[in-house]
Amino acid sequence: MAVPGARARGWAAAARAAQRRRRAEGTGGPPRPEPASQRAALYVHWPYCEKRCSYCNFNKYIPRGVDEAAMRKCLVTEAQTLLRLSGVRRVESVFFGGGTPSLASPHTVAAVLEAVAQAAYLPADSEVTLEANPTSAPGSRLAAFGAAGVNRLSIGLQSLDNAELRLLGRTHSASDALRTLAAARCLFPGRVSVDLMLGLPAQQVGPWLGQLQELLQHCDDHVSLYQLSLERGTALFAQVQQGALPAPDPELAAEMYQGAREALGEAGFRQYEVSNFARNGALSTHNWTYWQCGQYLGVGPGAHGRFVPQGAGGHTREARIQTLEPDNWMKEVMLFGHGTRKRIPLGRLEIKEVKELLERGLLLLDHRGLRCSWEGLPVLDSLLLTLLPQLQEAWQQRTPSLGPGG
């Protein structure tokens, strides 16, 4: 496991060398702060999983074999290209998501971080998060990721009930989850987040809140709660449609969510986003960037980004979506330096419903953009049902043709 540590030192050395080069060129660097237009978070998508969970419709693939060297090279290339096109000079955080990025080699994580540090300023204390599943992340592997530059983990625990884990198609047991959580907390104290799902078929409020209380005896300082969404095309959706499972009860899910907010508050957690709770100042910098409408670059198959392409002469903030299928994405990266499939200019909203929701205090709109208020959090799903179809229509009308230069 020594090589990832060497790569992490390579990342630090690359960062120092790049900073010296920028200073020699008169382009500055810390301690001078970059303006917001030159700062961004970076999301890196690893698209592969061991198996597809019964509820999942994310952009992930179950491969027969992965050419990781080729994937690594393309992730590095696209990160460098998008940093250049965006004009971003400081990366505030890096998040490796998926898929199951803990299946990737620590070498890949280290290589991406080194490339970012060479292309922009990546402070030594930047938050670098890796999503990990219990069965793909024993303690020794977590330590290797730490040596590669990861300093925060997000563990896909999902449930502490073995029957629920089987229903969800997870490959780990509750004991596996708690064992991985304990190892992670030893390696990354104060920097471990756990995911817990609510609103499953036949799930009841009392037992689920009992799970949460058990989790609070073992967890670190960050918890993410996610309500199950039945997505067409998933195994769980089909089981509910066929009557093999009862449909989740939205009223019970609302009770679970409200009960969880109260329990987490009593345990010292502060809710800072719809699904995320933190205590002792352990909120995720990366999540906070999304919530505050900051810029972020999306690297990898199917990744999303939001930034102003200043380095390519652009002046309007764009939503960017990368090509979904990994093999096609890699071909485009090798041809053009990136695999951006869609670019959507983001202009001012002119929707009647927005005005009404603003007047009711459920939405906020200011120089940072449109976002949900604290009062709107419990009813966010209903707000999205109103807004998303109209936003999608507006974006489709504005979507330009995509050439290789952008």
Side-chain angles (χ1 to χ4, degrees):
M1 294 296 181
V3 175
R7 293 301 301 267
R9 291 191 291 274
W11 161 35
R16 290 193 296 271
Q19 185 175 336
R20 288 195 298 269
R21 184 183 70 250
R22 287 192 292 270
R23 284 174 174 166
E25 294 171 350
T27 56
R32 185 183 72 179
E34 288 84 359
S37 61
Q38 295 179 4
R39 301 196 303 267
L42 181 72
Y43 173 80
V44 183
H45 189 74
W46 179 261
Y48 303 116
C49 282
E50 291 177 313
K51 68 183 293 289
R52 181 172 290 277
C53 297
S54 65
Y55 59 91
C56 182
N57 74 334
F58 295 159
N59 185 45
K60 56 177 63 175
Y61 300 84
I62 316 302
R64 294 180 179 176
V66 176
D67 185 348
E68 185 164 352
M71 173 61 70
R72 180 188 307 130
K73 182 177 180 181
C74 287
L75 289 172
V76 164
T77 296
E78 185 166 74
Q80 292 170 328
T81 300
L82 293 184
L83 284 167
R84 174 178 56 80
L85 291 175
S86 65
V88 165
R89 295 177 58 195
R90 179 188 177 104
V91 175
E92 308 276 23
S93 63
V94 182
F95 192 104
F96 291 88
T100 309
S102 51
L103 291 173
S105 164
H107 296 279
T108 294
V109 169
V112 172
L113 293 174
E114 184 175 335
V116 172
Q118 289 175 337
Y121 177 55
L122 181 63
D125 60 351
S126 293
E127 178 186 278
V128 180
T129 302
L130 179 88
E131 288 185 339
N133 281 346
T135 51
S136 64
S140 59
R141 190 165 180 81
L142 294 180
F145 281 118
V150 171
N151 55 32
R152 182 177 182 275
L153 291 177
S154 178
I155 298 177
L157 184 147
Q158 312 306 358
S159 176
L160 288 177
D161 182 288
N162 285 329
E164 289 180 356
L165 289 169
R166 289 191 293 271
L167 174 69
L168 294 170
R170 305 296 287 177
T171 59
H172 67 270
S173 66
S175 59
D176 292 333
L178 293 177
R179 190 179 309 114
T180 299
L181 177 55
R185 292 187 66 188
C186 289
L187 291 165
F188 304 91
R191 309 275 287 183
V192 180
S193 177
V194 290
D195 296 349
L196 190 66
M197 293 187 69
L198 60 92
L200 277 58
Q203 195 175 53
Q204 297 299 310
V205 176
W208 184 80
L209 289 175
Q211 279 192 54
L212 178 60
Q213 290 293 346
E214 182 182 359
L215 180 62
L216 289 174
Q217 304 303 311
H218 300 277
C219 73
D220 209 332
D221 292 331
H222 195 281
V223 174
S224 296
L225 301 180
Y226 296 108
Q227 182 176 345
L228 173 68
S229 176
L230 284 179
E231 302 291 348
R232 189 177 298 276
T234 64
L236 205 55
F237 179 91
Q239 287 176 284
V240 171
Q241 288 292 103
Q242 294 162 7
L245 289 172
D249 186 329
E251 296 298 326
L252 292 181
E255 287 186 45
M256 292 176 200
Y257 181 64
Q258 186 56 40
R261 295 174 81 181
E262 295 171 2
L264 287 164
E266 292 172 359
F269 286 82
R270 179 175 70 89
Q271 183 175 12
Y272 70 95
E273 197 250 81
V274 178
S275 301
N276 291 293
F277 301 76
R279 63 185 173 189
N280 299 325
L283 77 167
S284 166
T285 299
H286 198 85
N287 288 346
W288 192 241
T289 296
Y290 292 155
W291 189 244
Q292 294 293 299
C293 302
Q295 291 197 123
Y296 58 97
L297 312 181
V299 171
H304 289 224
R306 301 284 189 278
F307 61 88
V308 179
Q310 294 186 103
H315 303 284
T316 302
R317 187 176 172 113
E318 294 182 349
R320 289 198 174 210
I321 303 173
Q322 308 308 100
T323 292
L324 293 174
E325 203 279 326
D327 289 343
N328 291 335
W329 171 81
M330 283 194 282
K331 290 176 184 177
E332 292 174 19
V333 172
M334 287 186 285
L335 283 172
F336 308 124
H338 66 86
T340 303
R341 178 57 59 91
K342 198 170 188 180
R343 295 166 54 188
I344 306 165
L346 302 177
R348 290 183 61 86
L349 292 172
E350 297 178 358
I351 302 176
K352 289 181 181 180
E353 285 79 0
V354 171
K355 184 177 180 181
E356 180 184 346
L357 295 171
L358 289 169
E359 291 173 349
R360 293 169 56 191
L362 300 177
L363 293 179
L364 299 174
L365 179 62
D366 56 24
H367 67 282
R368 293 183 300 183
L370 180 69
R371 63 195 188 282
C372 184
S373 70
W374 294 114
E375 292 76 12
L377 284 178
V379 293
L380 181 60
D381 283 354
S382 63
L383 302 185
L384 294 177
L385 286 174
T386 300
L387 294 175
L388 288 180
Q390 297 181 61
L391 289 171
Q392 184 177 18
E393 181 179 350
W395 290 346
Q396 288 173 344
Q397 292 173 354
R398 294 173 177 168
T399 303
S401 58
L402 179 64

